Amino acid sequence: MKIIQARNYKELSKISSEIILEEIKNKPNLTLGFATGKTPLQTYKNLVNAYKNKKVDFSKINTFNLDEFYPIKSTNKKSYSYYMFNNLFNKTNFQRKNINLLNGETKYPEKESKDYEAKIKKHPIDLQILGIGLNGHIGFNEPNTPPNSKTHLTELTHIKGKALTMGISTILKSKKLLLLASGKKKAKIIKDLMNSKPNKKLPASFLKNHKDLTIIIDNDAGSLL
């Protein structure tokens, strides 16, 4: 486990985007796992800028997203599909055929989950970007999710509703993991993560079993360490 402490959110985003770009430079047909939410937004803006400045080519890259609300239409502004196209895919040259998103409109969530697992098996994830929830969730793997979980439909505890999510074991199969945490709100959960052995109450703690985990936090998120 490698921990990088950035001074602020801007520096965190710069470091994370540089890591992603370096991985792409080393392997142009990389398979990338994406997270959503506020934390990676500037990282994605940096990737868009790198593309506009002809510093990177995304055309051979396969992508998978961690999760999606369920049920939800992909055109809904709250959907993670909308988030990805609006913030990254539509502004770069990622190829639609290489983009894999969980379908929040499916009538068969169990089949959708199994099909997603099969696609990941075909294109193993080289680098998975992650955030961490205030209750320690990764993807939508809430507290008490078993560590051997695969892609599945889950009940959300921090907000009412359901979601499709990669399982903890699916995430851990990625070759490299990059966890980002920013802001004072994340300080307590980062402290808990650092002080915990892998356990079900804090799903993100299972990431510590991974052989190639990098955690980037800013000063606010690391303020209790």
Side-chain angles (χ1 to χ4, degrees):
M1 182 170 72
K2 184 181 177 187
I3 299 160
I4 301 169
Q5 189 148 347
R7 283 168 298 179
N8 50 40
Y9 176 67
K10 188 179 177 183
E11 188 178 63
L12 175 151
S13 305
K14 182 174 182 283
I15 295 166
S16 62
S17 53
E18 282 172 354
I19 288 170
I20 296 163
L21 292 168
E22 186 63 25
E23 290 293 320
I24 294 168
K25 189 179 167 188
N26 294 336
K27 187 179 178 182
N29 64 340
L30 191 77
T31 298
L32 267 177
F34 285 119
T36 50
K38 288 179 186 172
T39 311
L41 263 179
Q42 186 59 50
T43 298
Y44 298 158
K45 282 181 184 173
N46 292 349
L47 294 181
V48 170
N49 288 336
Y51 169 71
K52 285 179 177 173
N53 292 320
K54 298 191 164 84
K55 289 178 180 175
V56 64
D57 174 19
F58 297 115
S59 65
K60 292 176 185 171
I61 290 188
N62 287 293
T63 79
F64 287 92
N65 258 62
L66 268 175
D67 43 27
E68 179 60 278
F69 292 114
Y70 183 81
I72 197 165
K73 294 199 167 177
S74 60
T75 50
N76 187 316
K77 288 185 179 180
K78 289 182 180 175
S79 80
Y80 289 160
S81 174
Y82 183 91
Y83 171 106
M84 290 307 302
F85 278 95
N86 194 47
N87 292 303
L88 185 62
F89 297 151
N90 286 342
K91 297 175 178 180
T92 53
N93 69 331
F94 282 97
Q95 300 297 297
R96 185 66 188 87
K97 62 179 182 178
N98 298 333
I99 295 169
N100 297 283
L101 298 157
L102 282 157
N103 179 11
E105 298 179 51
T106 183
K107 289 177 183 173
Y108 309 102
E110 204 170 302
K111 184 181 184 298
E112 176 68 17
S113 300
K114 282 180 180 172
D115 289 349
Y116 207 65
E117 282 287 326
K119 286 177 192 172
I120 293 171
K121 201 171 182 181
K122 198 176 170 185
H123 297 284
I125 295 168
D126 293 294
L127 176 64
Q128 176 66 57
I129 300 153
L130 298 160
I132 183 169
L134 297 178
N135 64 355
H137 70 81
I138 44 165
F140 275 132
N141 293 287
E142 300 283 3
N144 296 314
T145 303
N148 64 348
S149 56
K150 294 183 178 177
T151 303
H152 63 285
L153 181 66
T154 185
E155 292 275 350
L156 302 177
T157 55
H158 59 296
I159 50 172
K160 280 186 180 178
K162 293 181 180 180
L164 289 159
T165 183
M166 278 187 204
I168 293 170
S169 77
T170 316
I171 292 166
L172 289 174
K173 283 190 187 105
S174 307
K175 288 174 195 164
K176 293 180 186 235
L177 301 176
L178 184 62
L179 176 70
L180 312 177
S182 169
K184 282 230 162 80
K185 275 187 181 177
K186 297 289 171 77
K188 186 184 181 301
I189 198 65
I190 287 297
K191 183 188 174 188
D192 292 346
L193 174 63
M194 296 305 174
N195 295 331
S196 297
K197 288 181 178 174
N199 73 91
K200 273 194 199 178
K201 287 182 181 175
L202 208 171
S205 64
F206 289 113
L207 301 177
K208 293 168 107 172
N209 288 332
H210 199 279
K211 66 182 190 299
D212 196 343
L213 166 66
T214 301
I215 299 173
I216 311 177
I217 52 175
D218 60 15
N219 280 343
D220 283 345
S223 59
L224 297 178
L225 297 178

mmCIF file of all heavy atoms in Angstrom, residues 123-154:
data_model
loop_
_atom_site.group_PDB
_atom_site.id
_atom_site.type_symbol
_atom_site.label_atom_id
_atom_site.label_comp_id
_atom_site.label_asym_id
_atom_site.label_seq_id
_atom_site.Cartn_x
_atom_site.Cartn_y
_atom_site.Cartn_z
ATOM 1 N N HIS A 123 -11.809 -8.694 -20.499
ATOM 2 C CA HIS A 123 -10.897 -7.537 -20.489
ATOM 3 C C HIS A 123 -10.565 -7.177 -19.044
ATOM 4 O O HIS A 123 -11.120 -6.216 -18.500
ATOM 5 C CB HIS A 123 -11.547 -6.334 -21.183
ATOM 6 C CG HIS A 123 -11.844 -6.532 -22.623
ATOM 7 N ND1 HIS A 123 -10.871 -6.500 -23.587
ATOM 8 C CD2 HIS A 123 -13.012 -6.777 -23.267
ATOM 9 C CE1 HIS A 123 -11.429 -6.716 -24.775
ATOM 10 N NE2 HIS A 123 -12.718 -6.896 -24.604
ATOM 11 N N PRO A 124 -9.663 -7.917 -18.400
ATOM 12 C CA PRO A 124 -9.341 -7.641 -16.997
ATOM 13 C C PRO A 124 -8.905 -6.187 -16.787
ATOM 14 O O PRO A 124 -8.203 -5.615 -17.625
ATOM 15 C CB PRO A 124 -8.196 -8.614 -16.689
ATOM 16 C CG PRO A 124 -8.335 -9.702 -17.697
ATOM 17 C CD PRO A 124 -8.873 -9.045 -18.926
ATOM 18 N N ILE A 125 -9.361 -5.615 -15.695
ATOM 19 C CA ILE A 125 -9.101 -4.196 -15.415
ATOM 20 C C ILE A 125 -7.650 -4.004 -14.977
ATOM 21 O O ILE A 125 -7.181 -4.638 -14.036
ATOM 22 C CB ILE A 125 -10.091 -3.662 -14.362
ATOM 23 C CG1 ILE A 125 -11.517 -3.701 -14.940
ATOM 24 C CG2 ILE A 125 -9.723 -2.229 -13.955
ATOM 25 C CD1 ILE A 125 -12.620 -3.488 -13.928
ATOM 26 N N ASP A 126 -6.943 -3.132 -15.691
ATOM 27 C CA ASP A 126 -5.551 -2.831 -15.364
ATOM 28 C C ASP A 126 -5.449 -1.825 -14.225
ATOM 29 O O ASP A 126 -4.601 -1.962 -13.350
ATOM 30 C CB ASP A 126 -4.825 -2.276 -16.601
ATOM 31 C CG ASP A 126 -4.687 -3.315 -17.696
ATOM 32 O OD1 ASP A 126 -3.964 -4.303 -17.471
ATOM 33 O OD2 ASP A 126 -5.314 -3.162 -18.759
ATOM 34 N N LEU A 127 -6.286 -0.808 -14.276
ATOM 35 C CA LEU A 127 -6.263 0.241 -13.247
ATOM 36 C C LEU A 127 -7.697 0.624 -12.892
ATOM 37 O O LEU A 127 -8.461 1.052 -13.756
ATOM 38 C CB LEU A 127 -5.505 1.473 -13.757
ATOM 39 C CG LEU A 127 -5.475 2.690 -12.834
ATOM 40 C CD1 LEU A 127 -4.734 2.398 -11.539
ATOM 41 C CD2 LEU A 127 -4.836 3.890 -13.537
ATOM 42 N N GLN A 128 -8.055 0.449 -11.630
ATOM 43 C CA GLN A 128 -9.392 0.799 -11.158
ATOM 44 C C GLN A 128 -9.312 2.030 -10.265
ATOM 45 O O GLN A 128 -8.592 2.049 -9.263
ATOM 46 C CB GLN A 128 -10.015 -0.361 -10.373
ATOM 47 C CG GLN A 128 -11.373 -0.051 -9.756
ATOM 48 C CD GLN A 128 -12.458 0.196 -10.801
ATOM 49 O OE1 GLN A 128 -12.713 -0.651 -11.645
ATOM 50 N NE2 GLN A 128 -13.090 1.365 -10.747
ATOM 51 N N ILE A 129 -10.044 3.080 -10.640
ATOM 52 C CA ILE A 129 -10.129 4.292 -9.831
ATOM 53 C C ILE A 129 -11.278 4.122 -8.840
ATOM 54 O O ILE A 129 -12.353 3.640 -9.196
ATOM 55 C CB ILE A 129 -10.357 5.524 -10.737
ATOM 56 C CG1 ILE A 129 -9.206 5.669 -11.736
ATOM 57 C CG2 ILE A 129 -10.492 6.795 -9.904
ATOM 58 C CD1 ILE A 129 -9.573 6.364 -13.011
ATOM 59 N N LEU A 130 -11.039 4.532 -7.599
ATOM 60 C CA LEU A 130 -12.032 4.363 -6.542
ATOM 61 C C LEU A 130 -12.175 5.621 -5.701
ATOM 62 O O LEU A 130 -11.220 6.386 -5.530
ATOM 63 C CB LEU A 130 -11.621 3.222 -5.604
ATOM 64 C CG LEU A 130 -11.494 1.813 -6.193
ATOM 65 C CD1 LEU A 130 -10.634 0.952 -5.296
ATOM 66 C CD2 LEU A 130 -12.873 1.201 -6.385
ATOM 67 N N GLY A 131 -13.370 5.807 -5.176
ATOM 68 C CA GLY A 131 -13.586 6.786 -4.121
ATOM 69 C C GLY A 131 -13.935 5.996 -2.872
ATOM 70 O O GLY A 131 -13.985 4.768 -2.891
ATOM 71 N N ILE A 132 -14.202 6.687 -1.783
ATOM 72 C CA ILE A 132 -14.621 6.021 -0.554
ATOM 73 C C ILE A 132 -15.789 6.788 0.056
ATOM 74 O O ILE A 132 -15.757 8.016 0.135
ATOM 75 C CB ILE A 132 -13.447 5.896 0.453
ATOM 76 C CG1 ILE A 132 -13.877 5.129 1.707
ATOM 77 C CG2 ILE A 132 -12.832 7.237 0.807
ATOM 78 C CD1 ILE A 132 -12.712 4.730 2.617
ATOM 79 N N GLY A 133 -16.834 6.054 0.436
ATOM 80 C CA GLY A 133 -17.998 6.684 1.040
ATOM 81 C C GLY A 133 -17.757 6.983 2.515
ATOM 82 O O GLY A 133 -16.827 6.448 3.125
ATOM 83 N N LEU A 134 -18.607 7.823 3.073
ATOM 84 C CA LEU A 134 -18.454 8.197 4.478
ATOM 85 C C LEU A 134 -18.626 6.997 5.411
ATOM 86 O O LEU A 134 -18.140 7.011 6.538
ATOM 87 C CB LEU A 134 -19.457 9.301 4.854
ATOM 88 C CG LEU A 134 -19.288 10.644 4.118
ATOM 89 C CD1 LEU A 134 -20.373 11.625 4.535
ATOM 90 C CD2 LEU A 134 -17.912 11.248 4.378
ATOM 91 N N ASN A 135 -19.332 5.971 4.925
ATOM 92 C CA ASN A 135 -19.496 4.754 5.735
ATOM 93 C C ASN A 135 -18.510 3.654 5.304
ATOM 94 O O ASN A 135 -18.633 2.508 5.707
ATOM 95 C CB ASN A 135 -20.935 4.234 5.665
ATOM 96 C CG ASN A 135 -21.338 3.779 4.263
ATOM 97 O OD1 ASN A 135 -20.573 3.930 3.309
ATOM 98 N ND2 ASN A 135 -22.516 3.220 4.135
ATOM 99 N N GLY A 136 -17.540 4.033 4.461
ATOM 100 C CA GLY A 136 -16.506 3.090 4.041
ATOM 101 C C GLY A 136 -16.855 2.268 2.822
ATOM 102 O O GLY A 136 -16.138 1.335 2.473
ATOM 103 N N HIS A 137 -17.981 2.628 2.151
ATOM 104 C CA HIS A 137 -18.334 1.820 0.979
ATOM 105 C C HIS A 137 -17.417 2.120 -0.209
ATOM 106 O O HIS A 137 -16.918 3.229 -0.365
ATOM 107 C CB HIS A 137 -19.816 1.984 0.597
ATOM 108 C CG HIS A 137 -20.204 3.308 0.036
ATOM 109 N ND1 HIS A 137 -20.006 3.646 -1.281
ATOM 110 C CD2 HIS A 137 -20.810 4.386 0.594
ATOM 111 C CE1 HIS A 137 -20.469 4.865 -1.513
ATOM 112 N NE2 HIS A 137 -20.951 5.346 -0.385
ATOM 113 N N ILE A 138 -17.179 1.083 -1.023
ATOM 114 C CA ILE A 138 -16.451 1.240 -2.296
ATOM 115 C C ILE A 138 -17.373 0.727 -3.390
ATOM 116 O O ILE A 138 -17.983 -0.329 -3.236
ATOM 117 C CB ILE A 138 -15.101 0.498 -2.317
ATOM 118 C CG1 ILE A 138 -15.225 -0.912 -1.731
ATOM 119 C CG2 ILE A 138 -14.015 1.299 -1.662
ATOM 120 C CD1 ILE A 138 -14.063 -1.817 -2.046
ATOM 121 N N GLY A 139 -17.468 1.468 -4.499
ATOM 122 C CA GLY A 139 -18.565 1.203 -5.411
ATOM 123 C C GLY A 139 -19.817 1.396 -4.571
ATOM 124 O O GLY A 139 -19.900 2.325 -3.764
ATOM 125 N N PHE A 140 -20.786 0.520 -4.723
ATOM 126 C CA PHE A 140 -21.932 0.536 -3.807
ATOM 127 C C PHE A 140 -21.912 -0.713 -2.921
ATOM 128 O O PHE A 140 -22.949 -1.268 -2.578
ATOM 129 C CB PHE A 140 -23.244 0.650 -4.585
ATOM 130 C CG PHE A 140 -23.616 2.066 -4.926
ATOM 131 C CD1 PHE A 140 -24.010 2.402 -6.217
ATOM 132 C CD2 PHE A 140 -23.582 3.068 -3.976
ATOM 133 C CE1 PHE A 140 -24.363 3.707 -6.552
ATOM 134 C CE2 PHE A 140 -23.925 4.378 -4.295
ATOM 135 C CZ PHE A 140 -24.316 4.705 -5.580
ATOM 136 N N ASN A 141 -20.711 -1.142 -2.553
ATOM 137 C CA ASN A 141 -20.573 -2.232 -1.604
ATOM 138 C C ASN A 141 -20.671 -1.644 -0.199
ATOM 139 O O ASN A 141 -19.706 -1.076 0.316
ATOM 140 C CB ASN A 141 -19.240 -2.956 -1.806
ATOM 141 C CG ASN A 141 -19.185 -3.677 -3.134
ATOM 142 O OD1 ASN A 141 -19.827 -4.698 -3.323
ATOM 143 N ND2 ASN A 141 -18.439 -3.116 -4.080
ATOM 144 N N GLU A 142 -21.852 -1.757 0.371
ATOM 145 C CA GLU A 142 -22.142 -1.167 1.669
ATOM 146 C C GLU A 142 -21.550 -2.023 2.796
ATOM 147 O O GLU A 142 -21.161 -3.172 2.574
ATOM 148 C CB GLU A 142 -23.666 -1.079 1.848
ATOM 149 C CG GLU A 142 -24.378 -0.230 0.796
ATOM 150 C CD GLU A 142 -24.223 1.263 1.023
ATOM 151 O OE1 GLU A 142 -23.519 1.665 1.969
ATOM 152 O OE2 GLU A 142 -24.795 2.045 0.247
ATOM 153 N N PRO A 143 -21.474 -1.480 4.029
ATOM 154 C CA PRO A 143 -21.018 -2.289 5.164
ATOM 155 C C PRO A 143 -21.764 -3.624 5.231
ATOM 156 O O PRO A 143 -22.967 -3.686 4.958
ATOM 157 C CB PRO A 143 -21.343 -1.401 6.365
ATOM 158 C CG PRO A 143 -21.193 -0.008 5.830
ATOM 159 C CD PRO A 143 -21.731 -0.083 4.423
ATOM 160 N N ASN A 144 -21.030 -4.663 5.572
ATOM 161 C CA ASN A 144 -21.502 -6.055 5.660
ATOM 162 C C ASN A 144 -21.601 -6.775 4.315
ATOM 163 O O ASN A 144 -22.074 -7.900 4.255
ATOM 164 C CB ASN A 144 -22.825 -6.175 6.438
ATOM 165 C CG ASN A 144 -22.644 -5.745 7.890
ATOM 166 O OD1 ASN A 144 -21.673 -6.145 8.541
ATOM 167 N ND2 ASN A 144 -23.532 -4.910 8.394
ATOM 168 N N THR A 145 -21.141 -6.130 3.243
ATOM 169 C CA THR A 145 -21.034 -6.847 1.959
ATOM 170 C C THR A 145 -19.895 -7.859 2.079
ATOM 171 O O THR A 145 -18.794 -7.502 2.505
ATOM 172 C CB THR A 145 -20.712 -5.872 0.803
ATOM 173 O OG1 THR A 145 -21.712 -4.870 0.734
ATOM 174 C CG2 THR A 145 -20.650 -6.606 -0.536
ATOM 175 N N PRO A 146 -20.135 -9.129 1.709
ATOM 176 C CA PRO A 146 -19.055 -10.113 1.829
ATOM 177 C C PRO A 146 -17.909 -9.825 0.860
ATOM 178 O O PRO A 146 -18.140 -9.343 -0.251
ATOM 179 C CB PRO A 146 -19.740 -11.444 1.498
ATOM 180 C CG PRO A 146 -21.015 -11.095 0.824
ATOM 181 C CD PRO A 146 -21.398 -9.722 1.263
ATOM 182 N N PRO A 147 -16.679 -10.115 1.278
ATOM 183 C CA PRO A 147 -15.521 -9.809 0.431
ATOM 184 C C PRO A 147 -15.452 -10.621 -0.856
ATOM 185 O O PRO A 147 -14.754 -10.243 -1.787
ATOM 186 C CB PRO A 147 -14.323 -10.120 1.337
ATOM 187 C CG PRO A 147 -14.838 -11.038 2.381
ATOM 188 C CD PRO A 147 -16.268 -10.682 2.577
ATOM 189 N N ASN A 148 -16.200 -11.743 -0.909
ATOM 190 C CA ASN A 148 -16.191 -12.562 -2.137
ATOM 191 C C ASN A 148 -17.295 -12.161 -3.110
ATOM 192 O O ASN A 148 -17.580 -12.863 -4.079
ATOM 193 C CB ASN A 148 -16.301 -14.056 -1.792
ATOM 194 C CG ASN A 148 -17.628 -14.398 -1.116
ATOM 195 O OD1 ASN A 148 -18.365 -13.508 -0.707
ATOM 196 N ND2 ASN A 148 -17.929 -15.673 -0.991
ATOM 197 N N SER A 149 -17.943 -11.017 -2.857
ATOM 198 C CA SER A 149 -19.065 -10.575 -3.701
ATOM 199 C C SER A 149 -18.608 -10.230 -5.110
ATOM 200 O O SER A 149 -17.526 -9.691 -5.319
ATOM 201 C CB SER A 149 -19.752 -9.353 -3.079
ATOM 202 O OG SER A 149 -18.814 -8.316 -2.877
ATOM 203 N N LYS A 150 -19.474 -10.580 -6.077
ATOM 204 C CA LYS A 150 -19.261 -10.206 -7.482
ATOM 205 C C LYS A 150 -20.275 -9.114 -7.836
ATOM 206 O O LYS A 150 -21.019 -8.648 -6.977
ATOM 207 C CB LYS A 150 -19.418 -11.441 -8.362
ATOM 208 C CG LYS A 150 -18.332 -12.476 -8.115
ATOM 209 C CD LYS A 150 -18.467 -13.652 -9.042
ATOM 210 C CE LYS A 150 -17.331 -14.638 -8.807
ATOM 211 N NZ LYS A 150 -17.459 -15.836 -9.643
ATOM 212 N N THR A 151 -20.306 -8.710 -9.104
ATOM 213 C CA THR A 151 -21.264 -7.684 -9.542
ATOM 214 C C THR A 151 -22.686 -8.113 -9.166
ATOM 215 O O THR A 151 -23.073 -9.254 -9.399
ATOM 216 C CB THR A 151 -21.144 -7.458 -11.061
ATOM 217 O OG1 THR A 151 -19.786 -7.083 -11.356
ATOM 218 C CG2 THR A 151 -22.066 -6.352 -11.535
ATOM 219 N N HIS A 152 -23.428 -7.190 -8.552
ATOM 220 C CA HIS A 152 -24.743 -7.549 -8.023
ATOM 221 C C HIS A 152 -25.635 -6.312 -7.844
ATOM 222 O O HIS A 152 -25.157 -5.183 -7.893
ATOM 223 C CB HIS A 152 -24.591 -8.265 -6.675
ATOM 224 C CG HIS A 152 -23.969 -7.417 -5.601
ATOM 225 N ND1 HIS A 152 -22.621 -7.125 -5.569
ATOM 226 C CD2 HIS A 152 -24.512 -6.785 -4.525
ATOM 227 C CE1 HIS A 152 -22.346 -6.358 -4.525
ATOM 228 N NE2 HIS A 152 -23.478 -6.132 -3.868
ATOM 229 N N LEU A 153 -26.917 -6.588 -7.628
ATOM 230 C CA LEU A 153 -27.881 -5.543 -7.281
ATOM 231 C C LEU A 153 -27.891 -5.423 -5.761
ATOM 232 O O LEU A 153 -27.956 -6.435 -5.059
ATOM 233 C CB LEU A 153 -29.275 -5.918 -7.794
ATOM 234 C CG LEU A 153 -30.404 -4.910 -7.520
ATOM 235 C CD1 LEU A 153 -30.193 -3.609 -8.276
ATOM 236 C CD2 LEU A 153 -31.760 -5.527 -7.894
ATOM 237 N N THR A 154 -27.816 -4.210 -5.248
ATOM 238 C CA THR A 154 -27.740 -4.026 -3.806
ATOM 239 C C THR A 154 -28.701 -2.949 -3.313
ATOM 240 O O THR A 154 -29.047 -2.031 -4.060
ATOM 241 C CB THR A 154 -26.291 -3.672 -3.382
ATOM 242 O OG1 THR A 154 -26.205 -3.614 -1.960
ATOM 243 C CG2 THR A 154 -25.847 -2.329 -3.945
#
